[in-house]
Amino acid sequence: MLDDQLKRPLRDLRISVTDRCNFRCQYCMPKEIFGPDYPFLSKKHLLTFEEIERLTRIFVNLGVQKVRITGGEPLLRRDIHKLVQMLHGIEGLHDIAISTNGVLLPKYADSLKKAGLHRVSVSLDSLDNQRFGQINGQGAKVNSVLAGIEAAEKAGLKVKINMVVQKGINEQDIVPMAKYFKETSHILRFIEYMDVGNVNGWNKSQVISKKEILDRLNKEFPLEPVAPNYPGEVASRFMYKGTTKEIGIISSVTDTFCSTCTRARLSAEGRLFTCLFATKGTDLRKPLRLGATDSEIQKVVKNVWERRTDRYSEERQKLLKNVPKDGRKKVEMSYIGG
Ligand code: SAM
Ligand code: SF4
Ligand code: SF4
């Protein structure tokens, strides 16, 4: 078993397959910055599916059991189902999931399921068309995401819904979202707004804490906590009292979970990051394209993981107080994937 400096094993790999997106969520890719002239990665810089498969095999050899395909918007990557199919063939990989904004699911859910995808997490921040259109920066309609969720369900995929909660932006949607998804078979999870990247101008005062979310929910429908499904599960789980219907909260700001963080991240151009809030990554594309053997690449990954000490969320207060003069350039969420 491969452990880092804080005795955390390598278990999960998040693979970003594109830095592009058909949304411009203001907390992730504000359109003032990600405009028509933004220098997105060009095709030759992206890892090919064959390169991703090869790296994934190496990660699985080192202990990875679960993979999440993300982005940007992963369903924009042409023939993404073919990547799923290739990953599905890797022995020892037990779980393949995709994070998506959902609008392309009506087109791709069936082929993804057939290719071996197990689960999708669909992001939806409001059921109000006007607020949702503003949040996604493109005026996209709630129904376009609900249609994606329905298509995924029909295709036989397990579906979870993720809602990022921001004070003054969509806090009024907490209870309506819970009410709506309580009547479906999907688990809704609220995500505390995080200071990922540099472009969203994050401020702690914009965060609605796990406690506040719980208080608001409990007023409408009493909840009871339930144990995690497995050690290191990111979301705290709750059940609506007297039912088996689950709801979750991901509280990276006010109730941190670094001590059980087993996630590595691979950017679309093949850089390995060991924390969502990292400033630097390790280039794996270069050795891949220079003809390194699997065992040479495995050694690089092993070294990176064994030296890992990341616990940004636990140190957030201290780090935010001591930002170096030249800034602390964290990677953007759209680059590294959520
Ligand atoms: N485009 C896909 C989507 O939206 O699901 C996948 C990539 S997106 C970066 C992954 C997740 O990160 C989404 O659920 C999104 O809402 C979340 N996210 C992005 N920026 C965030 C932030 N600053 N704080 C919390 N969650 C964020
Ligand atoms: Fe795109 Fe997802 Fe970021 Fe929204 S959160 S801009 S959908 S990558
Ligand atoms: Fe993992 Fe970094 Fe998030 Fe902590 S802050 S849980 S180490 S990704």
PDB file of all heavy atoms in Angstrom, residues 34-60:
ATOM      1  N   PHE A  34     -12.847  34.160 -18.831  1.00  0.00           N
ATOM      2  CA  PHE A  34     -12.839  33.065 -19.809  1.00  0.00           C
ATOM      3  C   PHE A  34     -13.634  33.485 -21.045  1.00  0.00           C
ATOM      4  O   PHE A  34     -14.655  32.895 -21.385  1.00  0.00           O
ATOM      5  CB  PHE A  34     -13.395  31.790 -19.173  1.00  0.00           C
ATOM      6  CG  PHE A  34     -12.503  31.245 -18.080  1.00  0.00           C
ATOM      7  CD1 PHE A  34     -12.608  31.709 -16.771  1.00  0.00           C
ATOM      8  CD2 PHE A  34     -11.541  30.285 -18.370  1.00  0.00           C
ATOM      9  CE1 PHE A  34     -11.776  31.228 -15.772  1.00  0.00           C
ATOM     10  CE2 PHE A  34     -10.716  29.795 -17.371  1.00  0.00           C
ATOM     11  CZ  PHE A  34     -10.824  30.277 -16.071  1.00  0.00           C
ATOM     12  N   GLY A  35     -13.166  34.566 -21.702  1.00  0.00           N
ATOM     13  CA  GLY A  35     -13.851  35.106 -22.882  1.00  0.00           C
ATOM     14  C   GLY A  35     -13.344  34.457 -24.162  1.00  0.00           C
ATOM     15  O   GLY A  35     -12.582  33.480 -24.130  1.00  0.00           O
ATOM     16  N   PRO A  36     -13.738  35.017 -25.308  1.00  0.00           N
ATOM     17  CA  PRO A  36     -13.376  34.405 -26.607  1.00  0.00           C
ATOM     18  C   PRO A  36     -11.868  34.313 -26.835  1.00  0.00           C
ATOM     19  O   PRO A  36     -11.413  33.472 -27.606  1.00  0.00           O
ATOM     20  CB  PRO A  36     -14.011  35.344 -27.643  1.00  0.00           C
ATOM     21  CG  PRO A  36     -14.801  36.355 -26.908  1.00  0.00           C
ATOM     22  CD  PRO A  36     -14.588  36.199 -25.440  1.00  0.00           C
ATOM     23  N   ASP A  37     -11.080  35.180 -26.161  1.00  0.00           N
ATOM     24  CA  ASP A  37      -9.632  35.142 -26.407  1.00  0.00           C
ATOM     25  C   ASP A  37      -8.865  34.324 -25.370  1.00  0.00           C
ATOM     26  O   ASP A  37      -7.635  34.330 -25.343  1.00  0.00           O
ATOM     27  CB  ASP A  37      -9.055  36.573 -26.396  1.00  0.00           C
ATOM     28  CG  ASP A  37      -9.683  37.399 -27.493  1.00  0.00           C
ATOM     29  OD1 ASP A  37      -9.982  36.806 -28.549  1.00  0.00           O
ATOM     30  OD2 ASP A  37      -9.904  38.609 -27.276  1.00  0.00           O
ATOM     31  N   TYR A  38      -9.583  33.646 -24.483  1.00  0.00           N
ATOM     32  CA  TYR A  38      -8.889  32.898 -23.429  1.00  0.00           C
ATOM     33  C   TYR A  38      -8.044  31.767 -24.037  1.00  0.00           C
ATOM     34  O   TYR A  38      -8.521  31.021 -24.892  1.00  0.00           O
ATOM     35  CB  TYR A  38      -9.891  32.327 -22.410  1.00  0.00           C
ATOM     36  CG  TYR A  38      -9.191  31.693 -21.236  1.00  0.00           C
ATOM     37  CD1 TYR A  38      -8.742  32.479 -20.178  1.00  0.00           C
ATOM     38  CD2 TYR A  38      -8.928  30.321 -21.208  1.00  0.00           C
ATOM     39  CE1 TYR A  38      -8.059  31.905 -19.116  1.00  0.00           C
ATOM     40  CE2 TYR A  38      -8.240  29.747 -20.148  1.00  0.00           C
ATOM     41  CZ  TYR A  38      -7.810  30.549 -19.101  1.00  0.00           C
ATOM     42  OH  TYR A  38      -7.127  29.992 -18.056  1.00  0.00           O
ATOM     43  N   PRO A  39      -6.789  31.630 -23.586  1.00  0.00           N
ATOM     44  CA  PRO A  39      -5.923  30.602 -24.189  1.00  0.00           C
ATOM     45  C   PRO A  39      -6.170  29.194 -23.626  1.00  0.00           C
ATOM     46  O   PRO A  39      -5.395  28.699 -22.819  1.00  0.00           O
ATOM     47  CB  PRO A  39      -4.519  31.088 -23.824  1.00  0.00           C
ATOM     48  CG  PRO A  39      -4.713  31.859 -22.558  1.00  0.00           C
ATOM     49  CD  PRO A  39      -6.103  32.448 -22.587  1.00  0.00           C
ATOM     50  N   PHE A  40      -7.248  28.584 -24.078  1.00  0.00           N
ATOM     51  CA  PHE A  40      -7.508  27.201 -23.647  1.00  0.00           C
ATOM     52  C   PHE A  40      -6.435  26.275 -24.222  1.00  0.00           C
ATOM     53  O   PHE A  40      -5.754  26.624 -25.180  1.00  0.00           O
ATOM     54  CB  PHE A  40      -8.896  26.749 -24.139  1.00  0.00           C
ATOM     55  CG  PHE A  40     -10.030  27.416 -23.409  1.00  0.00           C
ATOM     56  CD1 PHE A  40     -10.773  28.414 -24.014  1.00  0.00           C
ATOM     57  CD2 PHE A  40     -10.334  27.058 -22.109  1.00  0.00           C
ATOM     58  CE1 PHE A  40     -11.817  29.041 -23.337  1.00  0.00           C
ATOM     59  CE2 PHE A  40     -11.376  27.674 -21.415  1.00  0.00           C
ATOM     60  CZ  PHE A  40     -12.110  28.671 -22.035  1.00  0.00           C
ATOM     61  N   LEU A  41      -6.326  25.099 -23.620  1.00  0.00           N
ATOM     62  CA  LEU A  41      -5.325  24.131 -24.097  1.00  0.00           C
ATOM     63  C   LEU A  41      -5.656  23.701 -25.524  1.00  0.00           C
ATOM     64  O   LEU A  41      -6.827  23.484 -25.854  1.00  0.00           O
ATOM     65  CB  LEU A  41      -5.330  22.886 -23.196  1.00  0.00           C
ATOM     66  CG  LEU A  41      -4.920  23.100 -21.733  1.00  0.00           C
ATOM     67  CD1 LEU A  41      -5.184  21.824 -20.918  1.00  0.00           C
ATOM     68  CD2 LEU A  41      -3.444  23.481 -21.643  1.00  0.00           C
ATOM     69  N   SER A  42      -4.624  23.570 -26.345  1.00  0.00           N
ATOM     70  CA  SER A  42      -4.888  23.105 -27.712  1.00  0.00           C
ATOM     71  C   SER A  42      -4.831  21.574 -27.726  1.00  0.00           C
ATOM     72  O   SER A  42      -4.326  20.952 -26.782  1.00  0.00           O
ATOM     73  CB  SER A  42      -3.869  23.687 -28.681  1.00  0.00           C
ATOM     74  OG  SER A  42      -2.593  23.227 -28.311  1.00  0.00           O
ATOM     75  N   LYS A  43      -5.336  20.994 -28.806  1.00  0.00           N
ATOM     76  CA  LYS A  43      -5.502  19.535 -28.868  1.00  0.00           C
ATOM     77  C   LYS A  43      -4.183  18.794 -28.595  1.00  0.00           C
ATOM     78  O   LYS A  43      -4.154  17.786 -27.896  1.00  0.00           O
ATOM     79  CB  LYS A  43      -6.072  19.151 -30.232  1.00  0.00           C
ATOM     80  CG  LYS A  43      -6.646  17.762 -30.214  1.00  0.00           C
ATOM     81  CD  LYS A  43      -7.391  17.412 -31.466  1.00  0.00           C
ATOM     82  CE  LYS A  43      -7.667  15.909 -31.443  1.00  0.00           C
ATOM     83  NZ  LYS A  43      -7.686  15.329 -32.761  1.00  0.00           N
ATOM     84  N   LYS A  44      -3.094  19.326 -29.148  1.00  0.00           N
ATOM     85  CA  LYS A  44      -1.831  18.581 -29.008  1.00  0.00           C
ATOM     86  C   LYS A  44      -1.331  18.561 -27.553  1.00  0.00           C
ATOM     87  O   LYS A  44      -0.512  17.737 -27.184  1.00  0.00           O
ATOM     88  CB  LYS A  44      -0.776  19.139 -29.962  1.00  0.00           C
ATOM     89  CG  LYS A  44      -0.260  20.534 -29.644  1.00  0.00           C
ATOM     90  CD  LYS A  44       0.939  20.847 -30.572  1.00  0.00           C
ATOM     91  CE  LYS A  44       1.648  22.114 -30.189  1.00  0.00           C
ATOM     92  NZ  LYS A  44       0.994  23.357 -30.524  1.00  0.00           N
ATOM     93  N   HIS A  45      -1.847  19.494 -26.757  1.00  0.00           N
ATOM     94  CA  HIS A  45      -1.447  19.507 -25.348  1.00  0.00           C
ATOM     95  C   HIS A  45      -2.263  18.551 -24.482  1.00  0.00           C
ATOM     96  O   HIS A  45      -1.862  18.223 -23.374  1.00  0.00           O
ATOM     97  CB  HIS A  45      -1.551  20.927 -24.788  1.00  0.00           C
ATOM     98  CG  HIS A  45      -0.492  21.834 -25.346  1.00  0.00           C
ATOM     99  ND1 HIS A  45      -0.784  22.964 -26.064  1.00  0.00           N
ATOM    100  CD2 HIS A  45       0.849  21.741 -25.321  1.00  0.00           C
ATOM    101  CE1 HIS A  45       0.344  23.535 -26.457  1.00  0.00           C
ATOM    102  NE2 HIS A  45       1.354  22.817 -26.017  1.00  0.00           N
ATOM    103  N   LEU A  46      -3.431  18.166 -24.988  1.00  0.00           N
ATOM    104  CA  LEU A  46      -4.286  17.277 -24.186  1.00  0.00           C
ATOM    105  C   LEU A  46      -3.746  15.859 -24.224  1.00  0.00           C
ATOM    106  O   LEU A  46      -3.289  15.386 -25.267  1.00  0.00           O
ATOM    107  CB  LEU A  46      -5.706  17.236 -24.763  1.00  0.00           C
ATOM    108  CG  LEU A  46      -6.498  18.539 -24.806  1.00  0.00           C
ATOM    109  CD1 LEU A  46      -7.870  18.274 -25.421  1.00  0.00           C
ATOM    110  CD2 LEU A  46      -6.649  19.124 -23.408  1.00  0.00           C
ATOM    111  N   LEU A  47      -3.839  15.171 -23.098  1.00  0.00           N
ATOM    112  CA  LEU A  47      -3.513  13.742 -23.120  1.00  0.00           C
ATOM    113  C   LEU A  47      -4.485  13.034 -24.054  1.00  0.00           C
ATOM    114  O   LEU A  47      -5.681  13.352 -24.067  1.00  0.00           O
ATOM    115  CB  LEU A  47      -3.663  13.132 -21.719  1.00  0.00           C
ATOM    116  CG  LEU A  47      -2.685  13.549 -20.624  1.00  0.00           C
ATOM    117  CD1 LEU A  47      -2.982  12.751 -19.355  1.00  0.00           C
ATOM    118  CD2 LEU A  47      -1.239  13.351 -21.046  1.00  0.00           C
ATOM    119  N   THR A  48      -3.994  12.107 -24.845  1.00  0.00           N
ATOM    120  CA  THR A  48      -4.884  11.292 -25.672  1.00  0.00           C
ATOM    121  C   THR A  48      -5.564  10.249 -24.762  1.00  0.00           C
ATOM    122  O   THR A  48      -5.114  10.011 -23.627  1.00  0.00           O
ATOM    123  CB  THR A  48      -4.083  10.530 -26.747  1.00  0.00           C
ATOM    124  OG1 THR A  48      -3.193   9.632 -26.067  1.00  0.00           O
ATOM    125  CG2 THR A  48      -3.292  11.486 -27.630  1.00  0.00           C
ATOM    126  N   PHE A  49      -6.608   9.617 -25.262  1.00  0.00           N
ATOM    127  CA  PHE A  49      -7.275   8.571 -24.479  1.00  0.00           C
ATOM    128  C   PHE A  49      -6.293   7.434 -24.162  1.00  0.00           C
ATOM    129  O   PHE A  49      -6.318   6.862 -23.073  1.00  0.00           O
ATOM    130  CB  PHE A  49      -8.489   8.016 -25.232  1.00  0.00           C
ATOM    131  CG  PHE A  49      -9.659   8.983 -25.292  1.00  0.00           C
ATOM    132  CD1 PHE A  49     -10.766   8.702 -26.081  1.00  0.00           C
ATOM    133  CD2 PHE A  49      -9.662  10.157 -24.549  1.00  0.00           C
ATOM    134  CE1 PHE A  49     -11.843   9.569 -26.130  1.00  0.00           C
ATOM    135  CE2 PHE A  49     -10.740  11.034 -24.590  1.00  0.00           C
ATOM    136  CZ  PHE A  49     -11.827  10.735 -25.392  1.00  0.00           C
ATOM    137  N   GLU A  50      -5.422   7.130 -25.126  1.00  0.00           N
ATOM    138  CA  GLU A  50      -4.449   6.048 -24.892  1.00  0.00           C
ATOM    139  C   GLU A  50      -3.503   6.445 -23.752  1.00  0.00           C
ATOM    140  O   GLU A  50      -3.147   5.615 -22.907  1.00  0.00           O
ATOM    141  CB  GLU A  50      -3.633   5.761 -26.170  1.00  0.00           C
ATOM    142  CG  GLU A  50      -4.391   5.053 -27.280  1.00  0.00           C
ATOM    143  CD  GLU A  50      -5.441   5.941 -27.955  1.00  0.00           C
ATOM    144  OE1 GLU A  50      -5.297   7.192 -27.897  1.00  0.00           O
ATOM    145  OE2 GLU A  50      -6.400   5.388 -28.515  1.00  0.00           O
ATOM    146  N   GLU A  51      -3.099   7.705 -23.725  1.00  0.00           N
ATOM    147  CA  GLU A  51      -2.197   8.160 -22.648  1.00  0.00           C
ATOM    148  C   GLU A  51      -2.927   8.146 -21.298  1.00  0.00           C
ATOM    149  O   GLU A  51      -2.357   7.733 -20.271  1.00  0.00           O
ATOM    150  CB  GLU A  51      -1.679   9.568 -22.963  1.00  0.00           C
ATOM    151  CG  GLU A  51      -0.666   9.575 -24.105  1.00  0.00           C
ATOM    152  CD  GLU A  51      -0.321  10.993 -24.576  1.00  0.00           C
ATOM    153  OE1 GLU A  51      -1.168  11.902 -24.482  1.00  0.00           O
ATOM    154  OE2 GLU A  51       0.801  11.186 -25.057  1.00  0.00           O
ATOM    155  N   ILE A  52      -4.196   8.549 -21.316  1.00  0.00           N
ATOM    156  CA  ILE A  52      -4.965   8.541 -20.056  1.00  0.00           C
ATOM    157  C   ILE A  52      -5.124   7.105 -19.557  1.00  0.00           C
ATOM    158  O   ILE A  52      -4.950   6.814 -18.371  1.00  0.00           O
ATOM    159  CB  ILE A  52      -6.355   9.205 -20.249  1.00  0.00           C
ATOM    160  CG1 ILE A  52      -6.191  10.696 -20.563  1.00  0.00           C
ATOM    161  CG2 ILE A  52      -7.216   9.009 -19.005  1.00  0.00           C
ATOM    162  CD1 ILE A  52      -7.485  11.422 -20.885  1.00  0.00           C
ATOM    163  N   GLU A  53      -5.425   6.199 -20.478  1.00  0.00           N
ATOM    164  CA  GLU A  53      -5.607   4.793 -20.079  1.00  0.00           C
ATOM    165  C   GLU A  53      -4.308   4.243 -19.471  1.00  0.00           C
ATOM    166  O   GLU A  53      -4.324   3.590 -18.425  1.00  0.00           O
ATOM    167  CB  GLU A  53      -6.024   3.943 -21.283  1.00  0.00           C
ATOM    168  CG  GLU A  53      -6.333   2.506 -20.870  1.00  0.00           C
ATOM    169  CD  GLU A  53      -6.243   1.525 -22.024  1.00  0.00           C
ATOM    170  OE1 GLU A  53      -5.709   1.881 -23.098  1.00  0.00           O
ATOM    171  OE2 GLU A  53      -6.688   0.380 -21.846  1.00  0.00           O
ATOM    172  N   ARG A  54      -3.203   4.564 -20.134  1.00  0.00           N
ATOM    173  CA  ARG A  54      -1.920   4.033 -19.654  1.00  0.00           C
ATOM    174  C   ARG A  54      -1.624   4.579 -18.258  1.00  0.00           C
ATOM    175  O   ARG A  54      -1.234   3.822 -17.350  1.00  0.00           O
ATOM    176  CB  ARG A  54      -0.820   4.438 -20.650  1.00  0.00           C
ATOM    177  CG  ARG A  54       0.467   3.769 -20.352  1.00  0.00           C
ATOM    178  CD  ARG A  54       1.495   3.982 -21.432  1.00  0.00           C
ATOM    179  NE  ARG A  54       2.792   3.706 -20.849  1.00  0.00           N
ATOM    180  CZ  ARG A  54       3.920   4.277 -21.214  1.00  0.00           C
ATOM    181  NH1 ARG A  54       3.936   5.147 -22.215  1.00  0.00           N
ATOM    182  NH2 ARG A  54       5.050   3.977 -20.610  1.00  0.00           N
ATOM    183  N   LEU A  55      -1.819   5.882 -18.091  1.00  0.00           N
ATOM    184  CA  LEU A  55      -1.560   6.458 -16.759  1.00  0.00           C
ATOM    185  C   LEU A  55      -2.506   5.860 -15.722  1.00  0.00           C
ATOM    186  O   LEU A  55      -2.106   5.570 -14.592  1.00  0.00           O
ATOM    187  CB  LEU A  55      -1.714   7.983 -16.802  1.00  0.00           C
ATOM    188  CG  LEU A  55      -0.572   8.746 -17.460  1.00  0.00           C
ATOM    189  CD1 LEU A  55      -0.856  10.244 -17.505  1.00  0.00           C
ATOM    190  CD2 LEU A  55       0.748   8.508 -16.708  1.00  0.00           C
ATOM    191  N   THR A  56      -3.770   5.679 -16.108  1.00  0.00           N
ATOM    192  CA  THR A  56      -4.736   5.131 -15.140  1.00  0.00           C
ATOM    193  C   THR A  56      -4.312   3.731 -14.689  1.00  0.00           C
ATOM    194  O   THR A  56      -4.387   3.399 -13.500  1.00  0.00           O
ATOM    195  CB  THR A  56      -6.160   5.119 -15.736  1.00  0.00           C
ATOM    196  OG1 THR A  56      -6.470   6.431 -16.191  1.00  0.00           O
ATOM    197  CG2 THR A  56      -7.188   4.688 -14.704  1.00  0.00           C
ATOM    198  N   ARG A  57      -3.841   2.912 -15.624  1.00  0.00           N
ATOM    199  CA  ARG A  57      -3.357   1.568 -15.248  1.00  0.00           C
ATOM    200  C   ARG A  57      -2.234   1.678 -14.206  1.00  0.00           C
ATOM    201  O   ARG A  57      -2.173   0.902 -13.251  1.00  0.00           O
ATOM    202  CB  ARG A  57      -2.796   0.833 -16.474  1.00  0.00           C
ATOM    203  CG  ARG A  57      -3.832   0.210 -17.314  1.00  0.00           C
ATOM    204  CD  ARG A  57      -3.225  -0.643 -18.433  1.00  0.00           C
ATOM    205  NE  ARG A  57      -4.234  -0.910 -19.433  1.00  0.00           N
ATOM    206  CZ  ARG A  57      -5.158  -1.867 -19.322  1.00  0.00           C
ATOM    207  NH1 ARG A  57      -5.139  -2.667 -18.281  1.00  0.00           N
ATOM    208  NH2 ARG A  57      -6.071  -2.036 -20.247  1.00  0.00           N
ATOM    209  N   ILE A  58      -1.359   2.654 -14.428  1.00  0.00           N
ATOM    210  CA  ILE A  58      -0.237   2.844 -13.500  1.00  0.00           C
ATOM    211  C   ILE A  58      -0.764   3.260 -12.120  1.00  0.00           C
ATOM    212  O   ILE A  58      -0.334   2.737 -11.082  1.00  0.00           O
ATOM    213  CB  ILE A  58       0.748   3.887 -14.078  1.00  0.00           C
ATOM    214  CG1 ILE A  58       1.443   3.290 -15.303  1.00  0.00           C
ATOM    215  CG2 ILE A  58       1.746   4.367 -13.030  1.00  0.00           C
ATOM    216  CD1 ILE A  58       2.280   4.260 -16.125  1.00  0.00           C
ATOM    217  N   PHE A  59      -1.748   4.170 -12.119  1.00  0.00           N
ATOM    218  CA  PHE A  59      -2.333   4.590 -10.834  1.00  0.00           C
ATOM    219  C   PHE A  59      -3.048   3.420 -10.145  1.00  0.00           C
ATOM    220  O   PHE A  59      -2.987   3.280  -8.926  1.00  0.00           O
ATOM    221  CB  PHE A  59      -3.313   5.759 -11.047  1.00  0.00           C
ATOM    222  CG  PHE A  59      -2.636   7.102 -11.094  1.00  0.00           C
ATOM    223  CD1 PHE A  59      -2.163   7.626 -12.283  1.00  0.00           C
ATOM    224  CD2 PHE A  59      -2.449   7.842  -9.942  1.00  0.00           C
ATOM    225  CE1 PHE A  59      -1.530   8.851 -12.339  1.00  0.00           C
ATOM    226  CE2 PHE A  59      -1.817   9.065  -9.973  1.00  0.00           C
ATOM    227  CZ  PHE A  59      -1.353   9.581 -11.181  1.00  0.00           C
ATOM    228  N   VAL A  60      -3.741   2.602 -10.933  1.00  0.00           N
ATOM    229  CA  VAL A  60      -4.452   1.458 -10.344  1.00  0.00           C
ATOM    230  C   VAL A  60      -3.440   0.487  -9.719  1.00  0.00           C
ATOM    231  O   VAL A  60      -3.656  -0.050  -8.634  1.00  0.00           O
ATOM    232  CB  VAL A  60      -5.357   0.774 -11.403  1.00  0.00           C
ATOM    233  CG1 VAL A  60      -5.895  -0.572 -10.903  1.00  0.00           C
ATOM    234  CG2 VAL A  60      -6.524   1.683 -11.772  1.00  0.00           C
TER     235      VAL A  60
END
